[in-house]
């Protein structure tokens, strides 16, 4: 018993849509009734399955309906031989069983092919030859002498056959003979005149090693009939496809005569075809697979037609059956799917992948290949050459949408080898249908990007105003990269000392801090460009750089003037009705020493408009010509605004503070002086007031001063002057020339003797700046009467 693998049958039965899928088993002809051909198990939970035998080709009762039993949760089916089974490979060597399997709502049909194999150990005689009546053959008396009358089919090879019965004359016209192939030959004298005779021949078959069997052949000699059996059609060739199942109709022959029967007389035995005795229909008896049985391509058949009651009245017809290959199976390719990835720098002509294909219908036949692109539809980067997929053009990922996966299909065509199948009936024109069956091999080729190029940018020059605010956009560095995507660039500045920054994403250059035209007029920055996301390896980067120049333009006035000193305190002895230069406001821009144009304006403390500015000179104006003359000193705290006066914008300003103590001039005052106190910008002043002794003139002198027709001229004692080497912040006070004494004073020739108030000629007060200052002074004497002594205090 030959068993089919349970797994294969299980798949065939359980999987849906397997109708007409064949599986095969081989059975020895020695198998008897009840023998199990195949058993298999399968699951069908929770349903109760059924297994049916629909039909058998050729029809026979040798097979029982399949049984189905449940065993340990699974179902077991069996195919067995029936009690009438008598398998004979020489008679029928192939059966087709159509099975139906039902599991719930799922119904699957499949075909089971049973091949009957010869048993070399089966040496007993069988069939009619071994029966008591023996095999009966009928021949005409006109048979040609020494021609084969019958072929005895026996199992095994190398059997020896002998006729053991007596063939004595006159009953026997001559002896019959049988050869080692089982062919019975007519007597050499022929059978003319032996009509109606019956010759019984006992035959001994010896197989060697003492094994043998006996059988009987009965030869009936038929008389020549007056009515001739004949075939109306001439010999013809019939072409059939190889995919006909056993039992399929090939052709039908028809002979004239009464109650005609048909049989195949050559070849004997006929393994592939049989003929119906009554209707003359020729059918296939075995598969005609040319790949497994190439000798089935051409078969020459000789069919004999004879009358049933007069078998000697017969006729023969020769015709040829050609089996045409059928293109049933598409080519099979390994691997069934081509999937790979290649870098975009792969050279043209590089093999991408290889595969092999064969045609099951025609092994070794030539196949045709076609490459069909799906995405992109018109790609030319890949090609097929001799069944090998290779790179046909440059794979460029540096354009939008270029570096994509290429999906295609390779159609493998067997080119119709054989190119056609034949369909039709016997005795009719054959209809030919060309049939190309392609196999499709899906292709997926992923082209991966390669970072081939370094980013570049063009050197540029940006200009910015000195007064630009932080975060001001100066411009953009336009980086380019030939790799795709082209804008995958990060920007950075090499070094971080300059007050600029570049946006890492878009290359915009921004100002971070203030600019100073005087300190630096130009900057050169190196901008680094680094690409990313342009290679299959995320760590693969390329970089480049370029230089940008930033020029600071339009010298903007961004420094306010500074006054030295920023604070002054002065004591002035004023003349009635005279203008007096109090001090000069000295200012400059330390960062821009070339800037000398300033505007001056008193913005506070100038009550009664006693002060004015002549450029940088502060002037005290006392134009009151008559009484009342102020009796007490007065202090003014003046605020002087100093601003840029040049073309630069904006105009910045500062304020200097000048405190002026105005002491009115008295007749008893010997001179008018200005005492200055300067305060450096970074020091706190310490003021010390010293009251010095004063001179009280003689009464005559007082009279002269009081009676003078001209305004009294105050005698001025020069103030303490700083040398050129004095420290910063000490500014020379304006020097007043001492007027000449009036003639009334210079020519003193009388004295009225009246007493005068000594307060009219007070001496002078000096306000010195004490502290870390070191002053050098020089004394000058006033032009006063010679008998008057003066004392100058440092």
């Amino acid at each position: 018993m030959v068993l089919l693998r349970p797994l294969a049958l299980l798949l065939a039965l359980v999987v849906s849509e397997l109708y007409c899928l064949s599986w095969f088993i081989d059975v020895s002809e020695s198998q008897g009734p009840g023998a199990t051909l195949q058993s298999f198990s399968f699951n069908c939970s929770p349903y109760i399955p059924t297994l049916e035998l629909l039909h058998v080709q050729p029809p026979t009762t040798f097979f029982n309906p399949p049984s189905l039993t449940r065993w340990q949760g699974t179902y077991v089916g069996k195919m067995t031989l029936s009690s009438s089974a008598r398998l004979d490979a020489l008679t029928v060597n192939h059966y087709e069983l159509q099975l139906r399997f039902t599991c719930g709502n799922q119904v699957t049909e499949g075909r089971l092919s049973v091949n009957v194999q010869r048993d070399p150990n089966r040496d007993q005689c069988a069939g009619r030859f071994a029966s008591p009546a023996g095999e009966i053959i009928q021949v005409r008396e006109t048979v040609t002498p020494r021609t084969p009358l019958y072929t005895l089919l026996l199992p095994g090879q190398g059997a020896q056959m002998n006729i053991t019965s007596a063939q004595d004359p006159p009953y026997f016209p001559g002896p019959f003979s049988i050869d080692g192939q089982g062919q019975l030959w007519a007597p050499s004298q022929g059978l003319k005149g032996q009509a109606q005779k019956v010759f019984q021949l006992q035959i001994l078959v010896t197989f060697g090693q003492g094994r043998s069997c006996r059988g009987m052949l009965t030869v009936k000699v038929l008389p020549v009939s007056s009515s001739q059996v004949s075939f109306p059609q001439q010999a013809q060739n019939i072409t059939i496809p190889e995919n006909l199942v056993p039992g399929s109709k090939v052709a039908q022959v028809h002979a004239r005569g009464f109650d005609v029967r048909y049989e195949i007389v050559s070849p004997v035995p006929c393994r592939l075809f049989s003929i119906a005795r009554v209707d003359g229909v020729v059918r296939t008896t075995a598969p005609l697979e040319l790949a497994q049985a190439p000798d089935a391509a051409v078969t020459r058949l000789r069919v004999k037609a004879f009358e049933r009651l007069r078998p000697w009245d017969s006729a023969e017809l020769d015709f040829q059956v050609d089996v045409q290959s059928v293109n049933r199976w598409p080519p099979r390719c390994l691997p069934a799917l081509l999937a790979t990835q290649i870098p975009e720098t792969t050279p043209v002509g590089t093999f991408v992948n290889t595969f092999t294909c064969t045609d099951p219908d025609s092994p070794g036949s030539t196949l045709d290949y076609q490459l069909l692109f799906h995405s992109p539809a018109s790609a030319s980067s890949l090609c097929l050459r001799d069944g090998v997929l290779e790179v046909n053009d440059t794979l460029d990922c540096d354009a939008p949408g270029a570096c994509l996966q290429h999906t295609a299909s390779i159609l493998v065509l067997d080119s119709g080898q054989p190119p056609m199948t034949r369909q039709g009936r016997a005795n009719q024109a054959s209809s030919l249908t060309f049939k190309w069956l392609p196999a499709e091999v899906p292709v997926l080729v992923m082209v991966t990007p390669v970072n081939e190029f370094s980013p570049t940018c063009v050197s540029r020059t940006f200009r910015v105003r000195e007064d630009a605010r932080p975060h001001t956009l100066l411009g953009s560095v336009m980086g380019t990269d030939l790799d795709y995507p082209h804008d995958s660039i990060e920007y950075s500045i090499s070094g971080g000392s300059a007050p600029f920054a570049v946006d890492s994403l878009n290359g915009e250059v921004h100002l971070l801090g203030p600019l100073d035209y005087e300190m630096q007029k130009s900057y050169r920055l190196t901008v680094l460009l680094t690409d990313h996301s342009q290679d299959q390896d995320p760590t693969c980067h390329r970089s480049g750089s370029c230089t940008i120049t930033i020029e600071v333009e339009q010298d903007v006035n961004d420094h306010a003037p500074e006054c030295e000193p920023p604070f002054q305190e002065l004591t002035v002895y004023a003349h009635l009705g005279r203008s007096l230069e109090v001090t000069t406001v000295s200012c400059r821009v330390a960062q821009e020493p070339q800037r000398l144009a300033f505007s001056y304006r008193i913005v506070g403390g100038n009550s009664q408009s006693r002060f004015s500015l002549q450029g940088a000179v502060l002037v005290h104006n006392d134009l009151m010509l008559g009484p009342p003359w102020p009796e007490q000193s007065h202090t003014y705290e003046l605020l002087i605004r100093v601003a840029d006066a040049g073309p630069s914008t904006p105009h910045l300003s500062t304020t200097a503070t000048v405190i002026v103590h105005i002491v009115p001039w008295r007749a008893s005052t010997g001179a008018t002086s200005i005492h200055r106190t300067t305060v450096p910008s970074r020091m706190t002043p310490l003021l010390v007031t010293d009251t010095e002794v004063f001179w009280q003139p003689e009464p005559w002198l007082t009279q002269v001063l009081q009676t003078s027709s001209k305004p009294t001229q105050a005698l001025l004692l020069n103030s303490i002057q700083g040398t050129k080497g004095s420290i910063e912040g000490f500014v020379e006070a304006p020097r007043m020339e001492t007027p000449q004494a009036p003639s009334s004073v210079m020519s003193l020739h009388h004295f009225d003797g009246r007493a005068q108030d000594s307060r009219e000629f007070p001496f002078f007060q000096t306000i010195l700046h004490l502290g870390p200052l070191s002053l050098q002074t020089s004394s000058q004497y006033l032009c006063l009467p010679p008998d008057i002594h003066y004392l100058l205090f440092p």
Side-chain angles (χ1 to χ4, degrees), residues 682-693:
R682 297 183 181 179
M683 303 183 65
T684 302
L686 175 63
L687 301 180
V688 176
T689 304
D690 288 339
T691 304
E692 306 294 343
V693 295

Side-chain angles (χ1 to χ4, degrees), residues 31-357:
Q31 294 292 325
T36 300
L37 301 179
Q38 178 63 46
S39 63
F40 43 84
S41 62
F42 51 88
N43 294 323
C44 185
S45 177
Y47 304 102
I48 299 177
T50 59
L51 186 61
E52 305 172 74
L53 176 60
L54 300 181
H55 57 79
V56 180
Q57 281 292 342
T60 183
T61 60
F62 290 173
F63 303 97
N64 287 323
S67 63
L68 192 62
T69 59
R70 183 178 179 87
W71 181 74
Q72 293 184 354
T74 60
Y75 290 92
V76 178
K78 289 185 180 181
M79 289 296 303
T80 59
L81 293 175
S82 66
S83 58
S84 61
R86 298 293 186 271
L87 298 180
D88 187 353
L90 296 178
T91 305
V92 178
N93 61 1
H94 184 83
Y95 295 93
E96 296 284 346
L97 284 69
Q98 189 72 18
L99 300 176
R100 175 188 292 166
F101 170 76
T102 303
C103 180
N105 296 328
Q106 185 177 3
V107 179
T108 304
E109 292 188 2
R111 188 169 67 236
L112 176 62
S113 297
V114 180
N115 295 320
V116 181
Q117 303 290 330
R118 293 284 301 273
D119 186 358
N121 297 323
R122 185 178 181 184
D123 54 6
Q124 68 273 16
C125 298
R128 294 182 182 179
F129 172 72
S131 64
E135 182 71 29
I136 301 175
I137 63 174
Q138 296 177 343
V139 297
R140 290 179 297 173
E141 62 177 343
T142 57
V143 67
T144 303
R146 297 295 300 170
T147 58
L149 303 178
Y150 178 77
T151 301
L152 179 62
L153 299 179
L154 294 176
Q157 300 292 334
Q160 296 182 359
M161 303 178 194
N162 296 306
I163 299 176
T164 59
S165 59
Q167 302 184 64
D168 298 333
Y171 190 78
F172 281 86
F176 291 86
S177 61
I178 189 170
D179 57 20
Q181 284 73 36
Q183 288 186 330
L184 180 65
W185 296 83
S188 58
Q189 293 82 4
L191 295 178
K192 191 65 174 179
Q194 305 296 322
Q196 307 298 332
K197 285 186 177 182
V198 176
F199 303 97
Q200 290 185 345
L201 304 176
Q202 295 287 341
I203 299 176
L204 173 63
V205 182
T206 303
F207 299 96
Q209 298 180 355
R211 297 178 302 161
S212 62
C213 65
R214 292 181 177 273
M216 179 179 292
L217 285 177
T218 301
V219 180
K220 293 183 177 180
V221 181
L222 302 177
V224 176
S225 175
S226 57
S227 61
Q228 187 76 23
V229 175
S230 62
F231 288 96
Q233 69 269 27
Q234 299 297 321
Q236 60 179 351
N237 295 339
I238 299 174
T239 302
I240 60 175
E242 65 172 339
N243 61 344
L244 290 181
V245 299
S248 300
K249 181 179 179 180
V250 176
Q252 184 176 15
V253 297
H254 178 72
R256 297 189 183 95
F258 178 76
D259 197 7
V260 177
R261 297 294 185 264
Y262 304 92
E263 64 179 2
I264 296 176
V265 297
S266 180
V268 178
C270 186
R271 182 177 59 88
L272 301 176
F273 304 97
S274 64
I275 190 171
R277 292 179 62 86
V278 176
D279 56 10
V281 175
V282 178
R283 300 181 182 274
T284 60
T285 58
L288 305 176
E289 298 286 347
L290 295 180
Q292 287 76 26
D295 58 336
V298 177
T299 302
R300 292 180 176 84
L301 295 179
R302 178 176 293 177
V303 177
K304 183 176 74 172
F306 58 90
E307 292 185 1
R308 183 176 65 85
L309 298 179
R310 299 169 58 88
W312 58 86
D313 189 359
S314 63
E316 295 181 353
L317 176 65
D318 294 327
F319 61 93
Q320 178 176 305
V321 179
D322 296 324
V323 178
Q324 178 68 55
S325 296
V326 176
N327 202 10
R328 292 179 296 166
W329 307 104
R332 296 176 182 175
C333 300
L334 291 176
L337 170 66
L338 296 182
T340 186
Q341 65 179 21
I342 55 177
E344 63 170 322
T345 54
T346 302
V348 175
T350 301
F351 289 172
V352 177
N353 215 327
T354 59
F355 59 99
T356 57
C357 299

Side-chain angles (χ1 to χ4, degrees), residues 605-769:
N606 190 13
S607 62
Q608 300 178 359
S609 299
R610 293 296 184 110
F611 297 89
S612 63
L613 287 170
Q614 297 178 4
V617 178
L618 178 65
V619 178
H620 176 257
N621 301 311
D622 193 351
L623 301 178
M624 298 179 62
L625 300 177
W629 179 253
E631 294 290 335
Q632 302 294 330
S633 62
H634 190 76
T635 298
Y636 296 88
E637 184 174 348
L638 302 177
L639 300 179
I640 300 176
R641 181 179 182 273
V642 182
D644 295 309
S648 301
T649 58
H651 294 290
L652 304 180
S653 65
T654 188
T655 302
T657 303
V658 179
I659 299 176
V660 182
H661 302 280
I662 302 296
V663 178
W665 183 85
R666 292 291 184 268
S668 60
T669 302
T672 300
S673 63
I674 299 175
H675 297 273
R676 178 190 313 274
T677 298
T678 61
V679 181
S681 60
R682 297 183 181 179
M683 303 183 65
T684 302
L686 175 63
L687 301 180
V688 176
T689 304
D690 288 339
T691 304
E692 306 294 343
V693 295
F694 63 90
W695 166 66
Q696 182 175 0
E698 294 296 332
W700 58 266
L701 180 58
T702 304
Q703 181 65 32
V704 171
L705 296 173
Q706 289 178 345
T707 58
S708 175
S709 61
K710 296 181 180 179
T712 301
Q713 298 291 330
L715 299 180
L716 175 64
L717 179 66
N718 288 341
S719 64
I720 301 174
Q721 298 179 354
T723 64
K724 289 185 178 180
S726 62
I727 66 171
E728 182 180 3
F730 189 86
V731 182
E732 182 180 355
R735 182 176 301 174
M736 300 283 296
E737 293 185 359
T738 303
Q740 295 182 356
S743 59
S744 59
V745 177
M746 301 300 296
S747 58
L748 296 176
H749 58 274
H750 68 276
F751 173 66
D752 57 4
R754 290 183 298 176
Q756 295 291 331
D757 189 355
S758 61
R759 293 176 299 175
E760 293 183 3
F761 284 89
F763 204 59
F764 54 88
Q765 293 179 341
T766 303
I767 300 176
L768 298 178
H769 181 196

Side-chain angles (χ1 to χ4, degrees), residues 42 65 200 323 412 414 484 493 511 520 576 591 599 698 745 748 775:
F42 51 88
Q200 290 185 345
V323 178
V412 184
D414 55 14
Y484 184 81
I493 293 180
L511 178 65
Q520 188 169 351
L576 180 64
Q591 295 84 356
S599 64
E698 294 296 332
V745 177
L748 296 176
L775 303 178

